[in-house]
Amino acid sequence: MGLPRMVAIRRDFPDRSLPDVYGAVRESMQSADWVRQVPRGSRIAVGVGSRGIANLSAIVKGVTDSWLDRGVRPFVIPVMGSHGGGTAEGQREVLAHYGITERALGVPIVSSLDVVPVGDSPSGIAVSMDREAFEADGVMLCSRVKWHTGFEGRLESGVHKMMAIGLGKWEGAKRYHMWAVRIGLEQVIREVGQVLLDTGRMLGGMAILEDANHATAEVHAVGAAGMVAREEELLARVKQWKADLPSPAFDLLIVDEIGKNISGSGMDTKVVNRSWLGRNCWAGLPSIGRIYARSLTPHGGGNAVGIGLCDVIHDRLYNAVDFGKTWINSFTASSTISCMCPPHFPTDRECVERILATCGRADLAECSVVWIRNTMEMGHMLVSEGIYEGLRDDPSVTAALPAAELGFDSSGQLVGGVELAVAA
């Protein structure tokens, strides 16, 4: 079959990267009043999540070293709901994937699923808190501030969301997502977060902002006082940096990899414009006909939440799935759509040809296609010729290689791809 001809392109997004991430974290901690108010000898829990945040190990070390310099005794706890298979050891392993280990940090890592009740929200939500965090002298969290993949609001993903959902561990995450079906996740985050702030144990967090290149752009030691307003301000800023796909509508998106380290939904739903709400559900984003995912990143230990957003997947992805972990995470989030398994085939050629045949075009070579590595790395990609024609006048777009038909090796697997575009 004739297939679309693809052009490898580079997209130049503004570079907002910090030259010294570790140093910036240290400086932010040193200048924060709430940090200076913590007495020497205090035992402080530092919460870290499961997302693939750039420079995460350097950021966490900057935080723990800052506490150590002040004579404070920090220890790290996983703050990630049901991730890591919903087990204490699994969550410790997730942190280790990011280089968050006792040897690297020089502080203890304490992983437990035990929680204690701390009160009820105005809507009647029973709020619980990680026991290790509750029994510490204070808690701070390290979290990226960004848009959430499941709803639109003024307060989405960030320190407040990690505090509200993650500190409840698996037990709390199940309860909060159940309530989210009834009153919306933003309302749950606000109510549960306020109960936790009212305990007096929350000190603040390291709010991390990334630019369109997935580089650390800003770090802010945000205190518990005024946390909501500060996070709303930071979210509004980072939303302006978001990288979107380069065409308002196209037939097929090929994604080399999905995974929990890339997004809570395997892919950023506000890039691929799909979620549990349905297809092409976010206003102002590209309309995508079909999605093909080729592999699963290893960082989630087989958690493949997000496969249900795809129309077809490669056998290598299917064979990497731990359905137990995937179902635990999906049902904890009160959603089954994202864990439903699409058709899967043993070669890229079969996946591409079968799914393009459903796009409504008699000649598959006329289909419009975008091929990316993942939804965090949007600076290099391949686009079909028709899409590239619409980008010729965009000064931020450069063709890295001449157009060429999608290529396969003798076993039917795709060759070239994003790596070729990066090299060029």
Side-chain angles (χ1 to χ4, degrees):
M1 296 183 181
L3 293 174
R5 288 166 55 83
M6 308 291 291
V7 180
I9 65 170
R10 185 186 76 237
R11 304 171 72 200
D12 295 318
F13 302 115
D15 180 4
R16 297 182 169 89
S17 59
L18 290 171
D20 178 7
V21 174
Y22 174 82
V25 171
R26 295 285 299 246
E27 182 179 349
S28 183
M29 290 285 287
Q30 291 166 4
S31 62
D33 289 339
W34 60 272
V35 172
R36 291 194 294 268
Q37 292 168 7
V38 175
R40 295 179 65 86
S42 298
R43 186 168 177 266
I44 303 300
V46 178
V48 184
S50 60
R51 298 294 185 263
I53 298 171
N55 303 302
L56 181 60
S57 59
I59 291 169
V60 177
K61 185 163 179 58
V63 168
T64 55
D65 283 355
S66 296
W67 286 124
L68 290 170
D69 287 350
R70 300 191 63 79
V72 171
R73 297 177 295 143
F75 65 99
V76 170
I77 59 172
V79 182
M80 55 184 75
S82 65
H83 304 173
T87 68
E89 186 55 34
Q91 296 192 350
R92 179 188 287 268
E93 291 173 359
V94 171
L95 294 186
H97 273 297
Y98 298 123
I100 310 298
T101 64
E102 293 184 349
R103 171 176 285 187
L105 300 178
V107 303
I109 294 178
V110 183
S111 183
S112 169
L113 297 184
D114 291 343
V115 295
V116 295
V118 295
D120 294 335
S121 80
S123 293
I125 306 171
V127 179
S128 55
M129 185 177 186
D130 180 297
R131 181 179 296 278
E132 297 294 337
F134 182 81
E135 293 178 352
D137 296 314
V139 184
M140 77 166 291
L141 306 173
C142 299
S143 182
R144 179 175 53 197
V145 176
K146 68 180 291 291
W147 49 93
H148 193 275
T149 58
F151 70 94
E152 292 270 12
R154 291 170 54 212
L155 184 69
E156 298 183 30
S157 287
V159 177
H160 205 82
K161 185 259 184 180
M162 178 185 273
M163 174 180 65
I165 306 297
L167 275 180
K169 310 302 282 192
W170 186 12
E171 176 186 320
K174 287 187 289 187
R175 186 185 318 121
Y176 305 148
H177 283 96
M178 178 272 291
W179 273 92
V181 174
R182 299 164 60 182
I183 66 174
L185 189 55
E186 183 180 8
Q187 186 64 25
V188 170
I189 290 171
R190 290 179 182 275
E191 289 194 19
V192 172
Q194 188 58 54
V195 173
L196 288 166
L197 288 171
D198 289 344
T199 66
R201 286 171 167 78
M202 298 305 306
L203 300 175
M206 182 59 61
I208 305 158
L209 276 62
E210 293 181 352
D211 65 14
N213 298 305
H214 183 44
T216 310
E218 297 180 12
V219 288
H220 301 275
V222 177
M227 179 187 290
V228 172
R230 182 65 171 136
E231 277 210 45
E232 289 177 346
E233 172 192 331
L234 295 176
L235 176 62
R237 178 151 76 249
V238 80
K239 280 184 175 182
Q240 298 174 4
W241 305 345
K242 180 174 174 287
D244 290 322
L245 292 166
S247 175
F250 55 94
D251 296 315
L252 174 64
L253 175 66
I254 301 174
V255 185
D256 281 339
E257 58 182 6
I258 66 172
K260 293 296 292 186
N261 60 309
I262 293 167
S263 172
S265 299
M267 303 174 285
D268 190 328
T269 66
K270 290 179 182 172
V271 170
V272 303
N273 204 0
R274 291 190 184 185
S275 76
W276 63 273
L277 297 170
R279 297 176 179 229
N280 302 315
C281 53
W282 306 113
L285 294 182
S287 176
I288 302 172
R290 302 286 187 266
I291 297 177
Y292 165 41
R294 302 179 63 217
S295 66
L296 183 67
T297 64
H299 298 81
N303 185 339
V305 162
I307 59 171
L309 304 180
C310 303
D311 297 284
V312 65
I313 60 174
H314 197 287
D315 275 357
R316 78 170 70 87
L317 194 163
Y318 176 80
N319 293 332
V321 177
D322 182 323
F323 282 99
K325 290 181 179 179
T326 303
W327 294 336
I328 285 172
N329 193 192
S330 189
F331 277 77
T332 298
S334 297
S335 170
T336 58
I337 292 174
S338 61
C339 70
M340 292 182 178
C341 188
H344 50 92
F345 303 100
T347 70
D348 287 311
R349 179 181 286 279
E350 188 170 8
C351 290
V352 169
E353 290 182 347
R354 282 179 177 268
I355 204 62
L356 282 180
T358 71
C359 292
R361 299 185 188 275
D363 183 354
L364 300 192
E366 296 180 355
C367 290
S368 50
V369 180
V370 175
W371 181 0
I372 63 174
R373 176 177 288 153
N374 59 56
T375 55
M376 283 200 306
E377 300 178 61
M378 306 278 281
H380 294 86
M381 62 182 63
L382 280 77
V383 299
S384 52
E385 282 184 298
I387 293 177
Y388 177 66
E389 289 302 315
L391 300 173
R392 281 187 179 275
D393 296 331
D394 187 337
S396 69
V397 176
T398 304
L401 291 169
E405 188 173 300
L406 283 168
F408 301 89
D409 63 18
S410 58
S411 62
Q413 309 304 342
L414 281 165
V415 294
V418 179
E419 284 72 19
L420 189 61
V422 172

